[in-house]
């Protein structure tokens, strides 16, 4: 999150275009590649789709998976805006493509912000030329990407930017990830955006590598179970560095994406604790991940953490309703490093120790072993506090 | 909830047996039938099961669906208590059976309260004889059933008791329903218990009638999506009255159960609004009910109601992620009687009207038409306030 450069082949910039109210920070950013590089994207599962999801899918179907630029605005989700919304996204992409001299389908336009309002096209079209010129002059250091990161924030309280390096032939390779998070629940907000850039030659197609990375990271961060209409994660690889071992690339991607996910969870509105839910002893990794998400979306476990209450019963009960195999007699539940339930028996005398973990650490752990297999998964979330309800109840007033 | 008698053939009593701390109200109750009458029960889907669920299933498999008595304690869920928990439930049933002179399998013992503690058997066995004698002398009027209703409460702020009558040959028939609710989220609490008694001759088997009733009522009340290990709903019919029309019995059951569900939702911890989610235009009733539950468990919609914010985008987005067919272009969203989104367009000028509905009514309506069919369902929930988080975070401290 400090001074993080972009991987070789990428440049970035951000600016204030007047989409947000003045004083709310940047609202328009671009990521530009030196050439059109392989990219893949995953989008929200919500049936209500932001206009950019329609257009990005169309472009990715036409451009052979090669992307030259990504343009992102915050302050307006361009969602529930009908055909005009799609037309506006298209005009944004065309404006970028014209300036760069590339086909429009090599540009992915992405929006985040409030639902139900149209993009202020005059302001966007007026700001784009200077923004693109600035990005083209960006040396790919930490300044341009930080401006871009700030430009995609909505109610995030801090910019989310992470990087990892890997050993490559001809020098160090890099993954740099940028995300905007969720606050706790973000009502009419396009909840989550993630951009993973790398100079690695990918070990498989961008689509495959992205799917694998997202399944183990972005699909395992949950704030309230409400997917937004605009959720988008992109992987984009210049291929300028060949890793000495393909697994190093996977590792750097997972590492970067995991750290972004933790930042998203930690930035939950009103949150005071980053919670890692560890599920072990599952029949499959999919089961483990599903149980983890069930625990991590349970208001019951989240309020317990807020109250520093080592309430193992809430964890076991949430695991029990997840609908996957569990052997309650062999199950184990822990908080921090303290086992509170094992072999069908609770250990109430250990609760003060677990309570201290919740009270004293900012990053806390809730764990359950399902007692039926060898697979596991970690899921990230945050606690649920009275402040979070207050913030969201008063969201538009 | 006022003065409600039991149907013919049933008697009840409640007492303080010392399971709860003194001053917390009654904690042991019995419902007794004049003879063993047909009964059916549905239990939680949670894999973590209270001991009573194991024993009730065993008894219902042995007793040919004929039940003579139900004994309920609050203050202790008898859950995560292993074999000793099942043995204790069995001893409770045997004590009741001995006093009544019936087979033990005609008795259903049910528990609600905190997880992980054993039933105080000495106190329960000491209190049962007088309690049963009292119930046997109960004329079936409003006093005995109210004592029973109070005895099954945990953190409920009011007793939940509803009744409906139907025209029968030889006089009026009756359904009387008793429930204990959920507060908002009830951590180590056996969340929901429901007892539907009637003197009707059932139009089908008790199992079928119960399933049909529960699908349209208890399965449509949601407080936080966390099923508890002890959830139980029982239907019990003396058959002493033959309705002039079978549909009258179904109607009285649905009416009674619906009103109990609304009471459960309205008694959510920290809740200030009873919320009815109306789903229409669905491809099937199951789809409608699923969308309704998705909206009703969304922290997003629940905090909006708490903030009196007519946030139609949250409703549409929750419907969109439910995973059932929806045509966003044909969908309609309303709050109270005000349409806020229709034909792909929002109507922001109508929001003040919808806001007034949320601010001025204690029972509010959120609605969505999915635009793909003719089916519908109502689901009940409550708003999510900062008070509710505070109550649950501090639950055990």
């Amino acid at each position: 999150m400090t001074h993080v450069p972009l991987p070789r082949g990428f440049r970035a910039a951000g600016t204030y275009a007047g989409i947000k109210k003045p004083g709310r920070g940047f609202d328009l950013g671009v990521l530009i590649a030196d050439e059109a590089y392989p990219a893949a994207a995953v989008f929200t599962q919500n049936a209500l789709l932001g206009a950019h999801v329609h257009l990005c899918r169309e472009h990715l179907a036409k451009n052979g998976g090669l992307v030259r630029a990504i343009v992102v605005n915050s302050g307006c989700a361009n969602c529930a805006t009908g055909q005009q919304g799609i037309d506006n996204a298209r005009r944004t992409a065309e404006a970028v493509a014209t300036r760069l001299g590339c086909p429009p389908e090599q540009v992915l336009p992405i929006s985040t912000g409030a639902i139900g309002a149209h993009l202020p096209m005059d302001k966007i079209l007026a700001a784009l030329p200077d923004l693109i010129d600035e990005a083209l002059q960006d040396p790919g250091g930490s300044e341009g990407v930080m401006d871009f990161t700030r430009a995609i924030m909505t109610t995030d309280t801090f910019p989310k930017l992470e990087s990892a390096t890997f050993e490559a032939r001809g020098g160090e390779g890099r993954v740099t990830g940028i995300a905007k998070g969720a606050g706790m629940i973000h009502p009419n907000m396009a909840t989550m955006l993630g951009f993973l850039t790398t100079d690695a030659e990918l070990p498989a197609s961008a689509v495959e590598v992205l799917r694998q990375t997202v399944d183990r990271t972005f699909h395992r961060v949950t704030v309230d179970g409400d997917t937004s209409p605009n959720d988008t994660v992109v992987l984009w690889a210049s291929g300028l560095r060949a890793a000495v071992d393909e697994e190093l690339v996977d590792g750097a991607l997972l590492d970067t994406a995991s750290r972004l996910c933790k930042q998203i969870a930690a930035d939950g509105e009103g949150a005071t604790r980053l919670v890692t839910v560890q599920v072990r002893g599952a029949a499959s990794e999919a089961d483990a991940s599903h149980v983890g998400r069930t625990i991590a979306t349970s208001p019951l476990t989240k309020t317990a953490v807020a109250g520093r209450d080592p309430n193992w019963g809430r964890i076991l009960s949430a695991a029990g309703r997840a609908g996957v195999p569990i052997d309650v007699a062999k199950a184990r539940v822990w908080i921090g490093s303290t086992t509170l339930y094992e072999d069908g028996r609770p250990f109430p005398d250990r609760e003060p120790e677990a309570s201290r973990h919740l009270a004293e650490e900012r990053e806390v752990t809730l764990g359950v072993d399902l007692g039926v297999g060898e697979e596991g998964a970690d899921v990230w979330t945050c606690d649920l506090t009275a402040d979070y309800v207050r913030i969201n109840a008063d969201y538009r007033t």
Side-chain angles (χ1 to χ4, degrees), chain A:
Chain A
M1 225 259 328
T2 47
H3 292 286
V4 167
L6 282 167
R8 282 157 198 81
F10 296 98
R11 305 166 191 285
T15 191
Y16 176 66
I19 305 166
K20 291 179 183 172
K21 285 178 191 160
R24 300 281 174 93
F26 287 2
D27 52 17
L28 192 65
V30 288
L31 266 175
I32 295 177
D34 291 349
E35 299 173 40
Y37 295 134
V42 290
F43 301 102
T44 182
Q45 296 298 307
N46 201 303
L48 178 65
L49 295 176
H52 85 247
V53 178
H54 294 285
L55 197 71
C56 286
R57 282 189 177 143
E58 179 190 319
H59 282 191
L60 286 164
K62 280 188 192 168
N63 65 20
L66 294 175
V67 168
R68 181 73 197 284
I70 293 175
V71 52
V72 186
N73 75 275
S74 56
C76 173
N78 190 14
C79 177
T81 46
Q83 186 58 45
Q84 189 185 332
I86 295 176
D87 293 343
N88 284 340
R90 196 182 301 279
R91 286 172 68 203
T92 306
E94 283 168 356
V96 174
T98 301
R99 194 80 178 182
L100 290 174
C102 73
E105 60 266 24
Q106 288 186 356
V107 180
L108 304 182
I110 294 172
S111 296
T112 180
I115 284 179
H118 286 295
L119 289 175
M121 289 309 298
D122 49 342
K123 293 175 180 172
I124 290 173
L125 296 177
L128 273 177
D130 283 354
L131 178 67
I132 292 168
D133 290 350
E134 190 188 327
L136 288 172
Q137 288 156 29
D138 176 42
S142 59
E143 275 185 50
V145 68
M146 182 52 90
D147 283 351
F148 174 81
T149 306
R150 292 190 186 282
I152 71 172
M153 290 166 65
T154 49
T155 55
D156 299 65
T157 65
F158 58 85
K160 294 166 186 68
L161 181 56
E162 290 286 350
S163 197
T165 57
F166 57 88
E167 196 184 343
R169 293 182 204 105
E172 191 177 58
R174 179 176 293 278
V175 172
T176 297
I178 305 118
K180 78 155 295 270
M184 185 67 174
I185 41 174
H186 273 166
N188 297 342
M189 284 290 161
T191 309
M192 185 175 71
L193 299 180
F195 302 95
L196 296 168
T197 58
T198 180
D199 45 22
E201 275 182 16
L202 294 180
S205 77
V207 172
E208 278 172 66
V209 174
L210 177 61
R211 174 60 60 190
Q212 206 172 31
T213 306
V214 165
D215 277 350
R216 297 187 165 195
T217 55
F218 289 103
H219 281 172
R220 292 187 184 171
V221 59
T222 173
V223 283
D224 64 350
D226 272 300
T227 58
S228 97
N230 287 35
D231 290 345
T232 300
V233 180
V234 179
L235 170 64
W236 201 7
S238 69
L240 299 174
R241 284 284 180 271
V244 296
D245 181 340
E246 285 182 351
E247 289 189 3
L248 295 178
V249 177
D250 288 334
L253 282 167
L254 281 176
D255 186 31
T256 303
S258 309
R259 281 189 274 128
L260 287 174
C261 289
K262 288 186 183 182
Q263 290 194 22
I264 288 171
D267 201 15
E269 284 175 337
T272 68
R273 293 292 177 273
L274 166 62
V275 180
T276 300
V277 178
Q278 300 175 327
V279 182
R280 303 290 181 263
S284 70
E285 190 176 329
D287 280 4
S289 160
H290 180 67
V291 169
R293 280 195 299 269
T294 304
I295 294 169
T297 50
S298 162
L300 189 146
T301 53
K302 294 159 84 85
T303 51
V305 174
R308 317 305 180 221
D309 177 5
N311 200 320
W312 60 270
R314 299 185 188 189
I315 300 169
L316 187 59
S317 182
R321 74 173 166 85
V324 309
I326 174 172
D327 183 337
V328 174
K330 289 185 187 165
R332 188 168 78 86
V333 179
W334 61 93
I335 291 176
S337 57
T338 310
T339 292
L340 295 170
Y341 175 86
E342 192 169 22
D343 296 329
R345 272 181 310 139
F347 296 92
D349 53 312
R350 299 177 186 170
E351 292 193 7
E353 185 182 317
S355 192
R356 274 197 300 280
H357 171 72
L358 297 178
E360 291 168 11
E361 306 293 332
R362 286 192 62 85
E363 303 193 5
V364 303
T365 307
L366 312 180
V368 60
D369 189 305
L370 305 183
V372 295
E374 301 296 323
E375 300 301 321
D378 285 358
V379 171
W380 306 286
T381 188
C382 54
D383 57 345
L384 169 50
T385 68
D387 270 350
Y388 129 86
V389 176
R390 207 171 297 114
I391 293 165
N392 282 289
D394 297 343
Y395 176 60
R396 306 200 309 178
T397 53

